[in-house]
Each structure stands twice: as structure tokens, then as C-alpha cells.
């Protein structure tokens, strides 16, 4: 049977279903062990990370900025340089808020709801005088867009958006001649949780509604129309653009489903794990949802807080948007980001590692880890440290659905995975039952020998859990079943 991915909500007798898994993610060819976290030798932040991003300037140089509640820091080699504003003192980002970042030409912008908009072309940030405070920031064409704002004229306005003057992120005085404008979204209740570029447009997300804004010039500036349906989301970081500038596509985690938006109307992905995920999700902390876009492998990691995690972001499901398959890679994180580093050369090696023995042994020689300016997938772990998700798989597992039927007994004597990459070691535990609806009985655990698992157990239904060590990838499981009579 060919594995069709993690699908805990569907009929377990569907061929190829994975009913449970751990650190096991979809690949282009099948399923594989999730890459492990690699310590890059980067110093930990001084406190929990409340947002991070790598941005590119017009000359294609880049900088990685990370934030704590009180400060902003720029990655320099393996250390974090303090680039908090020199005038104005420490920031006051709320415990339940986050920093968001955007690049506007050669200027890096940073925002949180408690502090005025920050700017930096290089080095320390500074206040953008008279700009609104805002929870959300995005850049679209020649304008900066802010949403869920607080400023002197309109006060705290969670449903308000602002557009800066054209080509000027410092001008926030509404004027049809400059292109600066502001308005509110009142057709549906609630605050604006996200604003994401959609080609030359912008999509605003409330918890259960969406709006699309088109730049039309004077006098309206931004024409915002509600999108039909009740899809929406609760976090800026819950939305990922998997399309191109000419053909944008958003995939996002909503209030009770996963969605795809291509400009017409949002459509549910039909995910076979929706009930499982949203039963786990702690809705009180849904605003903490994060995503990580693995562009190279066409995967989106959806990180979310569980009902048992006390508000921590501790669960993760993984979607392969080209193959429409799912997996899991649970880990506890503070933030997630695609980031760039300068690569490692002989001249800079000692900036990262004191000796050759300190080099990470779990990264292949052809990994992008060694390449200057290559995209990497990373998270800030619970020690406030940026780690890269590109190491050798460690411990991964998956559990099949049920194979057999209610009429006959079957003797299961062998299970042989079709490994594309064989793990260092693996073991299989058999489960069996006489009827659908019965509890499973735990059978024998066997180790992999000659790439297969041999056993002898008879019952109407069989299920198998595989536990692997090391890199692994497979597409098909072949089970040797022999009719063992009926009753």
C-alpha cells in the first residue's frame, strides 16, 4: 500500500492512511523523518523571542533582526548586536503582543502595538515620528500598510487600517495627493489579525472574515471589499504566500480549518486532520500560531499552542502543498523564520566553531547550511536560541491504519517497507483486533532485518507502528497476509 500521509480523522481502513506519527513529514516522493534542529553556535537572545525576520535591501544584502519585549537585536556572526533605539529607551511590547517586521526599500521597519513604528537603514532603530502604533505591518508596492492601530486621532482601533504616503514611510497624514489614507473594516465583527501582500493588493484577515484591498489612487486610495465566506485567521504568522508575485496564493490556518485563497474565494484544503488539530488547539492562544515555509521542499509547518501546553507553542502539523499530504513535527518554539546567514568559509570558520571537532556532524556536506546567502529554516527554541531545522533525522515514527476485513482471519508474517532512504535502525510493533470498533491488542515488537520485519500473528485486522532512527524516506508498505480461515 502507498502511504497517503497523516490522516487521523478519516476511516482507518482506507489504504495507506497514517493514523498517528511523530517527527514524520511529507516529501515529494512519500514520507520522511523530519530534519532535526542544529545548533549553529549562535548566542541565545537575552530573553524570549517575540518576533524575527530576515530582510533584504535593494542591493540584495540582508540582515536578520530578532526582538524581545524590550529590545531589538541584529545577528552579526554568532552574536546579537543590540540595535534598540538610542532615544526613547527600552520598548514596552506587551506579554500578549508580538513584533512584526517589513522591508521598505533600504529601510527596515518594526512595529508592536505598544510602541511607535521603528525604522533603521543600518544600525540602531529610531522612532518614526507621528506614525501610528500598530499590531500589523506589511508593504505593498510603494506603500506601507499598518493595521490594528492606536494613534492620537482615532485612538485604539483594532479594526482600522492605515496606508502611508506613496514612497514615504514617514508620512502618515491622510491626504489624497500623497496617497496616505485610513479607514475601518466594520462589515464583520472583531479586530484585524493579519494583513498580507497579495501581488499588488493586500488581504486583511479577521478571525472569521477576509477583505481584499486594491490601490486605486485618489480619492479613495485603497478600495477594500469583503471576500465572501467566513474564512479568516487569528495571527499574522498563520498566513503563508506559496505563489508568485504574478500569481499569489495564500495558505492559512483559520479558526477551525485550513484554507487556500487564490484571489477568487477561500477554499478549505479538505485536510484529513482538521478535527484532531482543532481539538488540540488552545483557542485562547490562537493569536500565537506561527508558520515556517520550507520553500525548497514545498512544506508549511503550522505551529500552534495546545490545550495542555499552558499557552506555549508546542504542536506542529506539516503540509506539502504540491503533493497534498500531511505529517507532524511537534516541538516547543518561541518563533519561526526563514533566515539567511553568510555561509562558512575557512576564513570565518573560527567565528562559529573553535575546532573541527565542534563542527556539526549531523549536516550533509551538500546542505545549504554551508552556502552563503541560502535560505534556511529555523526556530527559536525555549532557550531563546536560533537553531536550524536541517539536521539528520533523529527519532521518528508512524502508525498505519487497519488492514484486513471483518469476515476472515489473516496471518501476518512479514511487513516490508519500500525504503528510498533506509534508517540506521527500526522496529515495528504489531497491533490487532477481531472487529472494527474493538480495542487494539498489542502484539510483538520486531526489529528490522534485511529491510523487513518478520512476525507471525493471526487476526481479522492488523495495524503496525514503526519507530525509526536516522534519516529515512519511504513510499510503500508491503504486508504479507495469508488467509487463516473464517468463522
Amino acid at each position: 500500500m502507498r502511504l497517503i500521509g497523516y490522516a487521523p480523522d478519516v476511516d482507518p481502513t482506507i489504504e495507506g492512511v497514517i493514523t498517528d506519527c511523530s517527527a514524520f513529514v511529507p516529501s515529494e516522493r512519500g514520507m520522511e523523518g523530519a530534519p532535526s534542529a542544529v545548533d549553529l553556535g549562535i548566542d541565545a537572545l537575552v530573553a524570549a523571542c517575540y518576533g524575527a525576520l530576515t530582510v533584504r535591501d535593494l542591493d540584495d544584502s540582508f540582515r536578520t533582526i530578532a526582538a524581545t519585549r524590550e529590545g531589538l537585536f541584529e545577528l552579526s556572526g554568532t552574536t546579537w548586536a543590540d540595535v534598540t533605539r538610542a532615544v526613547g529607551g527600552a520598548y514596552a511590547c506587551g506579554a500578549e503582543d508580538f513584533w512584526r517586521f517589513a522591508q521598505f526599500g533600504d529601510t527596515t521597519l518594526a512595529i508592536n502595538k505598544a510602541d511607535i513604528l521603528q525604522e533603521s537603514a543600518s544600525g540602531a532603530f529610531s522612532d518614526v515620528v507621528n506614525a501610528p502604533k500598530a499590531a500589523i505591518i506589511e508593504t505593498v508596492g510603494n506603500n506601507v500598510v499598518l493595521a490594528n492601530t492606536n494613534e492620537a486621532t482615532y485612538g485604539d482601533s483594532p479594526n482600522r487600517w492605515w496606508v502611508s504616503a506613496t514612497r514615504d514611510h514617514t508620512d502618515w497624514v491622510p491626504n489624497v495627493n500623497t496617497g496616505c489614507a485610513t479607514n475601518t473594516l466594520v462589515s464583520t465583527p472583531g479586530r484585524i489579525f493579519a494583513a498580507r501582500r497579495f501581488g499588488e493588493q493586500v488581504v486583511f484577515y479577521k478571525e472569521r472574515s477576509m477583505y481584499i484591498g486594491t490601490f486605486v489612487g485618489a480619492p479613495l486610495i485603497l478600495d477594500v471589499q469583503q471576500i465572501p465566506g467566513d474564512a479568516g485567521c487569528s495571527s499574522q504568522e498563520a498566513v503563508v504566500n506559496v505563489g508568485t508575485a504574478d500569481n499569489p496564493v495564500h495558505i492559512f490556518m483559520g479558526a477551525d480549518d485550513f484554507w487556500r485563497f487564490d484571489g477568487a474565494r477561500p477554499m478549505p484544503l479538505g485536510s484529513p486532520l482538521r478535527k484532531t488539530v482543532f481539538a488540540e488547539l488552545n483557542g485562547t492562544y490562537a493569536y500565537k500560531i506561527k508558520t515556517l515555509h520550507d520553500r525548497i521542499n514545498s512544506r508549511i509547518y503550522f505551529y500552534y499552542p495546545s490545550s495542555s501546553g499552558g499557552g506555549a507553542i508546542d504542536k506542529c502539523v506539516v503540509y506539502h502543498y504540491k503533493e497534498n499530504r500531511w505529517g507532524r513535527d511537534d516541538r516547543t518554539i518561541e518563533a519561526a523564520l526563514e533566515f539567511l546567514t553568510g555561509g562558512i568559509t575557512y576564513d570565518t570558520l573560527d567565528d562559529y566553531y573553535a575546532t573541527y571537532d565542534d563542527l556539526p556532524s549531523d549536516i550533509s556536506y551538500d546542505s545549504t547550511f554551508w552556502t552563503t546567502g541560502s535560505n534556511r529554516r529555523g526556530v527559536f527554541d525555549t532557550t531563546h536560541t536560533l537553531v536550524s531545522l536541517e539536521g539528520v533525522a533523529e527519532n521518528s515514527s508512524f502508525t498505519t491504519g487497519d488492514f484486513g476485513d471483518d469476515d476472515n482471519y489473516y496471518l501476518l508474517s512479514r511487513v516490508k517497507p519500500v525504503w528510498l532512504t533506509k534508517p540506521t535502525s527500526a522496529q515495528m510493533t504489531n497491533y490487532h483486533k477481531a472487529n472494527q470498533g474493538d480495542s487494539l491488542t498489542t502484539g510483538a515488537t520486531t526489529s528490522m532485518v534485511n529491510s523487513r520485519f518478520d512476525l507471525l500473528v493471526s487476526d481479522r485486522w492488523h495495524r503496525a507502528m514503526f519507530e525509526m532512527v536516522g534519516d529515512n524516506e519511504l513510499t510503500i508498505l508491503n504486508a504479507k497476509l495469508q488467509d487463516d480461515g473464517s468463522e
Side-chain angles (χ1 to χ4, degrees):
M1 57 184 174
R2 183 173 294 274
L3 298 180
I4 62 174
Y6 178 49
D9 295 350
V10 306
D11 182 349
T13 66
I14 293 175
E15 186 172 300
V17 161
I18 293 174
T19 58
D20 195 13
C21 63
S22 174
F24 199 54
V25 298
S27 67
E28 197 136 331
R29 301 186 296 181
M31 300 290 294
E32 65 182 357
S36 63
V38 177
D39 185 348
L40 302 176
I42 296 173
D43 292 346
L45 287 175
V46 295
C49 181
Y50 270 68
L53 188 70
T54 288
V55 295
R56 286 184 182 270
D57 291 340
L58 295 176
D59 64 1
D60 214 31
S61 60
F62 56 86
R63 60 194 303 207
T64 297
I65 309 293
T68 65
R69 289 179 61 190
E70 297 184 344
L72 294 172
F73 301 86
E74 182 171 357
L75 184 61
S76 176
T78 60
T79 62
W80 294 100
D82 191 338
V83 289
T84 302
R85 60 188 175 188
V87 178
Y91 300 113
C93 179
E96 305 303 319
D97 295 323
F98 294 99
W99 283 90
R100 270 82 188 221
F101 303 90
Q103 189 71 10
F104 193 57
D106 285 328
T107 302
T108 305
L109 302 174
I111 197 76
N112 75 76
K113 189 70 180 283
D115 292 290
I116 195 170
L117 179 65
Q118 299 291 297
E119 66 173 341
S120 169
S122 64
F125 282 78
S126 59
D127 294 350
V128 179
V129 180
N130 297 323
K133 298 174 182 178
I136 307 298
I137 187 170
E138 181 62 286
T139 57
V140 184
N142 294 317
N143 298 87
V144 177
V145 178
L146 301 179
N148 188 349
T149 60
N150 189 356
E151 36 67 45
T153 302
Y154 300 103
D156 188 5
S157 302
N159 64 342
R160 179 173 293 278
W161 55 262
W162 281 79
V163 172
S164 72
T166 302
R167 296 179 183 272
D168 189 352
H169 66 278
T170 67
D171 186 348
W172 295 94
V173 178
N175 188 318
V176 295
N177 296 317
T178 64
C180 180
T182 183
N183 213 327
T184 55
L185 306 180
V186 297
S187 298
T188 56
R191 72 184 66 181
I192 300 172
F193 280 104
R196 285 298 194 186
R197 183 188 306 114
F198 195 80
E200 293 302 310
Q201 300 171 292
V202 60
V203 178
F204 296 103
Y205 291 83
K206 292 188 175 184
E207 183 180 18
R208 291 187 179 273
S209 59
M210 296 167 56
Y211 298 77
I212 190 163
T214 304
F215 286 86
V216 294
L220 195 58
I221 307 301
L222 186 67
D223 180 23
V224 182
Q225 300 293 325
Q226 186 178 349
I227 297 168
D230 62 355
C233 72
S234 299
S235 168
Q236 173 84 343
E237 291 75 30
V239 186
V240 176
N241 185 4
V242 301
T244 63
D246 294 332
N247 295 289
V249 175
H250 286 183
I251 292 177
F252 59 97
M253 183 176 177
D256 54 16
D257 209 342
F258 295 89
W259 300 84
R260 184 180 189 273
F261 177 64
D262 62 4
R265 61 181 301 166
M267 297 296 293
L269 294 178
S271 54
L273 43 64
R274 178 178 66 86
K275 292 181 180 179
T276 297
V277 168
F278 289 94
E280 291 177 335
L281 173 67
N282 188 332
T284 301
Y285 299 102
Y287 63 88
K288 292 186 174 184
I289 292 170
K290 311 293 182 188
T291 53
L292 178 61
H293 187 190
D294 181 352
R295 300 171 191 271
I296 294 174
N297 295 300
S298 305
R299 292 192 288 240
I300 301 172
Y301 291 70
F302 291 95
Y303 296 96
Y304 56 95
S306 73
S307 55
S308 60
I313 306 167
D314 60 345
K315 297 290 184 181
C316 177
V317 291
V318 186
Y319 180 57
H320 197 295
Y321 50 85
K322 289 185 178 179
E323 299 299 325
N324 194 30
R325 280 197 296 269
W326 292 85
R328 281 203 90 106
D329 188 24
D330 294 341
R331 65 180 72 236
T332 302
I333 70 164
E334 295 176 347
L337 73 157
E338 291 179 89
F339 70 103
L340 300 168
T341 60
I344 297 176
T345 67
Y346 283 111
D347 290 335
T348 63
L349 184 61
D350 60 351
D351 292 339
Y352 296 84
Y353 304 102
T355 69
Y356 285 108
D357 289 338
D358 294 329
L359 288 168
S361 60
D362 50 358
I363 299 180
S364 62
Y365 288 115
D366 59 356
S367 168
T368 57
F369 174 84
W370 312 104
T371 307
T372 299
S374 60
N375 272 33
R376 295 177 184 160
R377 285 76 61 199
V379 298
F380 280 85
D381 63 21
T382 55
T383 69
H384 325 318
T385 301
L386 177 60
V387 295
S388 176
L389 301 183
E390 52 190 336
V392 172
E394 294 175 343
N395 299 316
S396 55
S397 68
F398 72 96
T399 303
T400 68
D402 300 328
F403 43 98
D405 61 52
D406 273 334
D407 297 323
N408 298 290
Y409 280 82
Y410 294 95
L411 179 67
L412 177 63
S413 59
R414 176 174 295 171
V415 179
K416 189 177 191 312
V418 178
W419 298 109
L420 301 175
T421 301
K422 189 168 71 172
T424 304
S425 64
Q427 64 179 26
M428 184 193 80
T429 301
N430 166 259
Y431 301 90
H432 55 93
K433 58 186 175 182
N435 303 286
Q436 281 298 318
D438 291 348
S439 297
L440 289 162
T441 297
T442 303
T445 296
T446 57
S447 297
M448 182 175 67
V449 178
N450 293 328
S451 297
R452 65 178 188 252
F453 304 88
D454 292 321
L455 72 165
L456 288 173
V457 61
S458 179
D459 216 326
R460 290 194 181 106
W461 293 98
H462 298 271
R463 183 181 291 197
M465 179 181 72
F466 298 85
E467 298 171 282
M468 296 82 69
V469 177
D471 276 343
N472 64 86
E473 186 179 15
L474 73 159
T475 58
I476 296 172
L477 283 176
N478 292 319
K480 186 175 181 181
L481 289 172
Q482 178 181 335
D483 193 332
D484 203 27
S486 61
E487 64 175 42

